[in-house]
Amino acid sequence: VGFSYVVGSITGSLGQLRSMSEHTVKEFWKLRMFLKRHRVPPPLALRIKRFVEFEFQRQQKMMPLETVGVLKLLSEQMMSELQAAINIPHMSVHPLFQQLRDKSSLVMHRICNTALGHKQLAPGDLLFMPGEQASCMYFLTTGRLWYRRSLPDENDEVEGKGEWVEADEDWITEPGIWLAEWEHLGSATATRPSSVIKLRSEHLYEVVRQCPPALCKFLKEYATRFLRWLDETEFEDLSDIFQGDLNSDLIMGFIPNSDNTDNMALVSEESAKAAGEKNFLGSQFRRMSRVFGSKGEEEG
């Protein structure tokens, strides 16, 4: 009986694999027919087929969360914990999120479950272009990006310095989550198949609204110091890219170092206003300013 059960299980598994293989072959055949029928230019068609093949193999190997249907049965809290376990290792390249994880794992779980998105890039794909409005902060999890800073010229924009963005080492466009108006200063292009995590500002603020007042103070202090530094930095020296090995110590200096955030001394009202109201682009704090304001009123 036991032997028959094993044989039956193996036969069933082989049948399932055969069925999956037939489905895959059919889908790739449909892709080729689609590209041919719509007369997609051969160079683009080749790029599409190569990327689809690569992405299919990657998903087979990595098993993204969305491909495991039974995970939909998890409770909201368990899903938040699972999302945090997957994403926090990539976000911890930024010192602020290391500290936030230690101060409140619940807040980080909520951020991971509600404020994050994911984006796949094929070689040659642009993550963003100069002048585009930024509303996300990015963390590169796999692959590599080439960033080229654009500098304003009297007649047109000229290319500035370039730099590599490495997975799990650097972070991208942090001003986009603190400022109402931050335009990308350069372009970021994938040089190999790449994946990024997107921290979406609007969703982040919804989480912050639910934060305890002490954590709200903690974030306000950090954001104010970060924006003051941004305001004091020469425009030509700014970038969308924050290199972890070069900028981590700088960012650490903006993080309140008191373990007791309830008794944390905030910057003076005048300096906070100067840093938060205007920056070199004439921008204001994003909606975060209203969140911080409402928290302050609640405390009062």
Side-chain angles (χ1 to χ4, degrees):
V1 177
F3 177 75
S4 300
Y5 174 78
V6 171
V7 172
S9 298
I10 293 174
T11 303
S13 298
L14 289 174
Q16 187 177 10
L17 287 172
R18 190 178 300 110
S19 176
M20 289 173 60
S21 177
E22 291 172 356
H23 175 75
T24 301
V25 170
K26 184 177 180 179
E27 289 300 308
F28 277 97
W29 176 82
K30 286 168 63 177
L31 172 63
R32 291 193 295 271
M33 290 298 297
F34 174 87
L35 296 172
K36 184 177 180 179
R37 185 163 299 176
H38 289 273
R39 299 179 180 178
V40 177
L44 176 58
L46 180 61
R47 285 181 56 213
I48 290 173
K49 286 187 285 188
R50 284 179 175 174
F51 182 73
V52 170
E53 290 171 3
F54 173 84
E55 187 61 18
F56 176 79
Q57 293 175 2
R58 187 191 70 84
Q59 290 201 13
Q60 291 290 102
K61 181 180 179 181
M62 300 299 295
M63 292 187 66
L65 186 147
E66 298 78 14
T67 64
V68 186
V70 293
L71 290 177
K72 296 177 182 178
L73 302 175
L74 293 180
S75 67
E76 183 178 354
Q77 180 173 332
M78 291 185 71
M79 179 58 75
S80 296
E81 292 180 21
L82 176 59
Q83 291 279 19
I86 294 171
N87 292 294
I88 286 179
H90 302 297
M91 299 173 68
S92 293
V93 66
H94 191 297
L96 175 65
F97 295 104
Q98 290 182 8
Q99 294 285 326
L100 196 56
R101 176 196 60 192
D102 295 339
K103 288 181 178 296
S104 177
S105 58
L106 178 60
V107 169
M108 278 302 296
H109 290 174
R110 288 175 176 170
I111 289 174
C112 290
N113 194 36
T114 63
L116 298 186
H118 297 82
K119 186 179 181 71
Q120 306 300 324
L121 299 170
D125 283 356
L126 283 168
L127 181 59
F128 52 77
M129 297 186 298
E132 282 187 326
Q133 187 72 31
S135 61
C136 296
M137 179 178 177
Y138 300 99
F139 301 90
L140 183 65
T141 59
T142 61
R144 206 181 194 198
L145 304 179
W146 175 250
Y147 175 78
R148 174 71 71 176
R149 172 76 153 86
S150 294
L151 297 174
D153 186 70
E154 291 182 1
N155 300 318
D156 200 355
E157 286 192 345
V158 297
E159 287 191 342
K161 62 180 181 180
E163 55 187 316
W164 290 106
V165 184
E166 306 289 353
D168 291 332
E169 292 184 18
D170 312 318
W171 61 94
I172 308 168
T173 326
E174 182 176 356
I177 62 172
W178 303 120
L179 290 174
E181 297 178 4
W182 174 267
E183 294 182 353
H184 289 294
L185 303 175
S187 62
T189 307
T191 60
R192 63 182 67 163
S194 303
S195 304
V196 296
I197 294 173
K198 302 187 295 182
L199 175 57
R200 299 169 292 196
S201 57
E202 295 300 317
H203 295 78
L204 174 63
Y205 306 148
E206 294 305 316
V207 175
V208 173
R209 286 181 188 278
Q210 305 174 43
C211 283
L215 274 177
C216 212
K217 279 186 177 182
F218 173 79
L219 290 170
K220 178 179 180 180
E221 174 74 357
Y222 170 82
T224 301
R225 293 177 179 181
F226 178 83
L227 290 183
R228 187 189 298 120
W229 166 78
L230 201 68
D231 189 48
E232 293 172 352
T233 303
E234 293 294 331
F235 180 78
E236 292 76 11
D237 296 329
L238 291 170
S239 173
D240 294 296
I241 308 302
F242 291 80
Q243 300 282 356
D245 56 342
L246 299 177
N247 297 116
S248 289
D249 289 342
L250 172 71
I251 295 299
M252 281 293 294
F254 304 151
I255 299 175
N257 55 17
S258 171
D259 292 330
N260 185 357
T261 53
D262 286 311
N263 298 322
M264 183 175 60
L266 296 177
V267 292
S268 70
E269 212 170 286
E270 289 185 3
S271 62
K273 185 177 181 182
E277 277 191 354
K278 298 286 180 180
N279 76 334
F280 61 94
L281 295 174
S283 302
Q284 297 178 340
F285 256 143
R286 279 185 170 271
R287 286 174 51 195
M288 190 69 81
S289 61
R290 294 202 290 274
V291 175
F292 289 149
S294 63
K295 288 289 183 180
E297 291 169 8
E298 289 173 10
E299 287 181 281

